[in-house]
Amino acid sequence: MLSLSVLQERIGYRFQDEKLLRRAVTHRSYAAEHNERLEFLGDSVLNCVIGYALFLRDTHFSEGDLSRVRANLVCEKTLHEVAKRIDISSFLYMGEGELKTGGAERASILADAMEAIFGAVFREAGFEAAQAVILRVYEPILSNLTPETFSKDPKTRLQELLQGAHLPRPEYTILHTMGAAHERSFECECRIEPLGIATSGRATNRRAAEQNAALLALEAVQAKIVHK
Amino acid sequence: MLSLSVLQERIGYRFQDEKLLRRAVTHRSYAAEHNERLEFLGDSVLNCVIGYALFLRDTHFSEGDLSRVRANLVCEKTLHEVAKRIDISSFLYMGEGELKTGGAERASILADAMEAIFGAVFREAGFEAAQAVILRVYEPILSNLTPETFSKDPKTRLQELLQGAHLPRPEYTILHTMGAAHERSFECECRIEPLGIATSGRATNRRAAEQNAALLALEAVQAKIVHK
């Protein structure tokens, strides 16, 4: 088990009361003084900090875009990714039973501890200190957000566009499946009969191939509708 | 329509940029510069502020208690109550159509504007300024929280207790309905046959009468189980 001072270096915040940090990395299987209340607190600070970061990022994102992207950034999967990057599992206190069954690698336990750490910083030093820690550990994720992250996927956008124009849904069909099992490639067609549009997309899985075809179809539909 | 300076007095915060407040009270039916993004921001600040207030209140509340009570305090119904108390509807900008169909009294529109105001304060002056405004307008609600607010209701607790002891659910029946329509009083019985327990509760509505009966039954069951 690594010392808590290493953890403090990684998150960029030094606790006055190290017991608070210790509590944040204590799972309920280890002691009555566990991290669940701090996790509750951290979850709400995280939501607020990430929400604000997205809000500031671009004034064109609608409330729906903001909510969708935030949900992706604060979900267990993303928190787990953040927690792994600073190797939270090396600092966790947990009961024997939990350890034996692989608790120290369980996504939910690592994500919860990550949130509890945010909560502990907020508890000791206030919102801005917690904000600094969160933006630091989330930096690799926030800096990789692309405009596409904020948009609905092409299939959804295409369907909504067609619906708005009272046109039927597009039809997707697999044209070809190529290659051996471990290097399979799919070619899908997206067809919108009433507009005489048919596009095709290729990818290593069917869903992605459909999305690629939908993206091309979306552009074709937009061109038709604008030039009508 | 009342002046925005009245609204600023009521919330206890004076904006440097009054346009930000104006935007917070502008419904999307009125202008492209509407309050939806500020509402997104305000919602997350509200969650954090109320969560922290509950966290500090008593160290014995579990994460589950905190989540449940917070959900009650930040829901549309409670926000609407807060919004009515400072008469948000007198400050709203909305389109003609929305106004004619009663939009200025719609709970969701008032609750959203309330959140947008919290978001606007946070945007201009940071977390602690928003916290001060939220705690001020929520004061009547926070000061009326009782220990019971943090517990599940008696019917739920009774059912969980019986389930845990592999006993059947209690049966509720109305014993009497008394008084004229406008001053009706109900007497309900809660019966747990296998334990020979039957209690009765009275209240001005059926649900409350059942809860009162369940509370007495809960005590009776706990006494039996302990003394077995």
Side-chain angles (χ1 to χ4, degrees):
Chain A
M1 175 116 76
L2 288 170
S3 140
L4 287 183
S5 62
V6 176
L7 179 54
Q8 294 178 79
E9 265 165 45
R10 291 193 187 158
I11 63 169
Y13 176 79
R14 184 152 299 283
F15 278 85
Q16 298 204 319
D17 176 10
E18 213 178 80
K19 285 205 302 293
L20 200 56
L21 176 58
R22 180 167 166 152
R23 183 167 193 149
V25 292
T26 301
H27 185 254
R28 65 175 302 139
S29 60
Y30 187 84
E33 297 257 307
H34 58 72
N35 64 6
E36 284 187 0
R37 278 166 46 86
L38 286 172
E39 176 213 331
F40 166 81
L41 195 57
D43 174 76
S44 66
V45 179
L46 175 66
N47 255 285
C48 190
V49 168
I50 297 294
Y52 189 41
L54 297 175
F55 177 93
L56 291 178
R57 202 167 172 105
D58 190 319
T59 55
H60 291 97
F61 300 138
S62 73
E63 194 229 336
D65 294 332
L66 294 168
S67 298
R68 191 172 50 251
V69 178
R70 181 176 60 186
N72 269 317
L73 294 185
V74 303
C75 69
E76 182 180 296
K77 185 169 164 286
T78 308
L79 271 164
H80 179 215
E81 197 184 319
V82 170
K84 271 192 302 190
R85 206 174 304 112
I86 57 176
D87 191 20
I88 292 272
S89 63
S90 302
F91 304 96
L92 283 184
Y93 293 89
M94 29 178 58
E96 286 290 333
E98 198 66 52
L99 266 176
K100 276 185 193 147
T101 58
E105 303 307 327
R106 199 165 296 140
S108 62
I109 289 179
L110 298 177
D112 289 352
M114 197 67 247
E115 286 187 322
I117 291 171
F118 301 150
V121 177
F122 178 62
R123 176 77 186 85
E124 179 169 281
F127 183 80
E128 280 161 37
Q131 186 179 34
V133 167
I134 292 169
L135 293 179
R136 178 191 171 110
V137 300
Y138 262 85
E139 197 279 326
I141 290 164
L142 287 171
S143 65
N144 273 320
L145 282 183
T146 58
E148 289 71 43
T149 320
F150 286 88
S151 309
K152 294 179 191 170
D153 63 83
K155 282 180 72 174
T156 307
R157 280 187 288 160
L158 178 60
Q159 194 185 315
E160 288 178 357
L161 183 66
L162 294 174
Q163 223 159 33
H166 303 291
L167 289 164
R169 289 161 172 250
E171 283 163 43
Y172 295 93
T173 39
I174 301 186
L175 297 177
H176 303 289
T177 312
M178 292 149 285
H182 65 287
E183 46 178 11
R184 191 86 73 192
S185 165
F186 295 83
E187 188 175 353
C188 276
E189 182 185 63
C190 172
R191 178 179 289 275
I192 306 156
E193 205 67 69
L195 296 178
I197 289 172
T199 58
S200 76
R202 194 176 285 195
T204 55
N205 67 69
R206 182 189 165 152
R207 197 184 127 73
E210 287 181 357
Q211 294 290 1
N212 289 338
L215 187 60
L216 296 174
L218 193 60
E219 286 163 11
V221 173
Q222 280 163 338
K224 286 237 172 184
I225 287 181
V226 169
H227 293 115
K228 242 194 217 165
Chain B
M1 176 115 83
L2 288 171
S3 141
L4 287 183
S5 63
V6 176
L7 178 54
Q8 294 178 76
E9 265 165 43
R10 292 194 186 155
I11 65 171
Y13 175 78
R14 184 153 297 283
F15 279 84
Q16 299 204 317
D17 177 10
E18 213 179 78
K19 285 205 302 292
L20 201 56
L21 177 58
R22 178 163 167 157
R23 184 169 193 146
V25 292
T26 300
H27 185 255
R28 66 175 299 139
S29 61
Y30 187 85
E33 296 259 306
H34 57 71
N35 65 5
E36 284 186 2
R37 278 166 45 89
L38 287 172
E39 177 213 330
F40 166 81
L41 195 57
D43 174 76
S44 66
V45 179
L46 175 66
N47 256 286
C48 189
V49 168
I50 297 293
Y52 189 40
L54 296 175
F55 177 93
L56 291 178
R57 203 171 172 102
D58 190 319
T59 55
H60 290 96
F61 300 137
S62 74
E63 195 230 334
D65 294 331
L66 293 169
S67 297
R68 192 171 50 249
V69 177
R70 181 175 62 185
N72 269 317
L73 294 185
V74 304
C75 70
E76 181 180 297
K77 184 169 165 286
T78 308
L79 271 165
H80 180 215
E81 197 184 319
V82 170
K84 274 192 300 189
R85 207 176 302 114
I86 58 175
D87 192 19
I88 292 272
S89 63
S90 303
F91 304 95
L92 283 185
Y93 292 88
M94 27 177 61
E96 287 290 332
E98 197 66 52
L99 266 176
K100 276 184 191 147
T101 57
E105 304 307 327
R106 199 164 297 139
S108 62
I109 290 180
L110 298 177
D112 290 352
M114 196 69 246
E115 286 186 324
I117 291 171
F118 301 150
V121 177
F122 178 61
R123 176 77 185 87
E124 180 170 281
F127 183 81
E128 280 162 37
Q131 185 179 35
V133 166
I134 292 169
L135 293 179
R136 177 190 171 114
V137 300
Y138 263 85
E139 196 279 327
I141 290 164
L142 287 170
S143 65
N144 272 321
L145 283 183
T146 58
E148 288 72 42
T149 319
F150 285 86
S151 309
K152 293 180 190 171
D153 63 82
K155 281 180 72 174
T156 307
R157 278 188 287 160
L158 178 60
Q159 195 186 315
E160 288 179 356
L161 183 65
L162 294 175
Q163 224 160 35
H166 302 290
L167 288 164
R169 288 162 172 251
E171 282 164 43
Y172 296 94
T173 37
I174 300 185
L175 297 178
H176 302 289
T177 312
M178 292 148 285
H182 65 286
E183 46 178 13
R184 191 86 73 192
S185 166
F186 294 83
E187 189 174 353
C188 276
E189 184 185 64
C190 171
R191 177 178 291 275
I192 306 155
E193 205 67 68
L195 296 178
I197 289 173
T199 57
S200 77
R202 194 176 284 196
T204 55
N205 67 68
R206 182 188 164 153
R207 196 184 129 73
E210 286 181 359
Q211 293 290 1
N212 289 338
L215 188 60
L216 296 174
L218 193 61
E219 286 163 9
V221 174
Q222 280 163 339
K224 286 236 173 183
I225 287 181
V226 170
H227 293 115
K228 244 195 220 167

